[in-house]
């Protein structure tokens, strides 16, 4: 399942954490390596559309479909980063019950214990993502977590909402998307 189409992704993104957005130095990728190797252009996608049986069994779940994309990007060298700044970027897309529009959040990911933390700039919240041995990923909003999402992408936050953790909206298990159906970073 693939949600939405191409989107324009800005440079000014960051992870919502105490440390702030940081490039990921070589050798310090940690759990990011469970998602993809640090090679320019590498990317992976995970998605799930929840069927009517699942939604009936989880009546408080508002999310009906979700997609998580992650990509490694190495910028050209400059004075601060002679070898090029290295970043892991993400896009999260979700559809909710009763809403026609898809919601989008974008930002950066960094290693975080046994998973990764992916956050939205300007205190837009974030998610924790871990990779299971079967290839699936678990997106976790956290006990009282949230992530700011918008009906589109770009600098404007018109119509932004916070996707918040709830009784049936905290953990989302997503399946790998075949490579041919997973758009590269430049096409987000």
């Amino acid at each position: 399942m693939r949600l939405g189409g191409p989107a324009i992704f800005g440079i000014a993104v960051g992870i919502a954490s105490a440390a702030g957005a940081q490039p990921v130095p070589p050798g310090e990728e940690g759990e990011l390596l469970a998602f993809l190797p640090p090679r320019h252009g590498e990317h992976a996608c995970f998605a799930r559309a929840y069927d009517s049986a699942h939604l009936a069994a989880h009546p408080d779940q508002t999310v009906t479909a979700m997609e998580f994309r992650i990509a490694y990007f190495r910028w050209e060298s400059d004075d601060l980063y002679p070898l090029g700044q290295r970043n892991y970027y993400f896009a999260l897309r979700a559809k909710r019950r009763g809403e026609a529009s898809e919601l989008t959040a974008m930002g950066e990911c960094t290693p975080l214990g046994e998973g990764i933390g992916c956050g939205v700039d300007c205190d837009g919240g974030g998610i924790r993502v871990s990779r299971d041995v079967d290839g699936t990923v678990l997106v976790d909003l956290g006990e009282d977590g949230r992530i700011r999402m918008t009906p589109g992408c770009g600098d404007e936050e018109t119509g932004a909402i916070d996707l918040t953790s709830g009784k049936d909206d905290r953990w989302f298990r997503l399946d790998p998307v075949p490579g041919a159906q997973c758009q590269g970073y430049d096409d987000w």
Side-chain angles (χ1 to χ4, degrees), residues 69-147:
R69 299 175 181 181
I70 185 166
Y72 181 82
F73 193 85
R74 182 174 174 181
W75 297 94
E76 294 293 324
S77 61
D78 61 21
D79 291 340
L80 290 175
Y81 300 97
L83 299 176
Q85 181 176 324
R86 302 148 191 249
N87 298 82
Y88 283 84
Y89 295 109
F90 85 98
L92 183 71
R93 295 186 172 174
K95 285 195 144 201
R96 298 188 321 160
R97 288 185 202 236
E99 294 182 8
S101 65
E102 171 185 289
L103 299 170
T104 303
M106 294 179 161
E108 291 184 53
C109 298
T110 60
L112 183 65
E114 293 184 16
I116 61 174
C118 301
V120 177
D121 203 13
C122 299
D123 195 23
I127 54 176
R128 181 182 174 99
V129 185
S130 56
R131 187 99 191 246
D132 205 343
V133 294
D134 67 359
T136 62
V137 298
L138 185 65
V139 175
D140 182 0
L141 284 172
E143 186 174 336
D144 295 313
R146 68 175 182 82
I147 187 166

Side-chain angles (χ1 to χ4, degrees), residues 3-4 23 34 38 54 65 75 80 86-89 117 137 153-154 166-167 170 172 175-177 187-188:
L3 297 177
H54 176 92
W75 297 94
L80 290 175
R86 302 148 191 249
N87 298 82
Y88 283 84
Y89 295 109
V137 298
C153 77
K167 180 179 175 186
R170 176 171 174 183
F172 303 93
D175 300 311
V177 172
D187 295 322
W188 289 2

Side-chain angles (χ1 to χ4, degrees), residues 24-31 33 38 72 86 88 111:
V24 180
E28 296 182 26
E29 295 90 356
E31 285 301 309
L33 293 175
Y72 181 82
R86 302 148 191 249
Y88 283 84

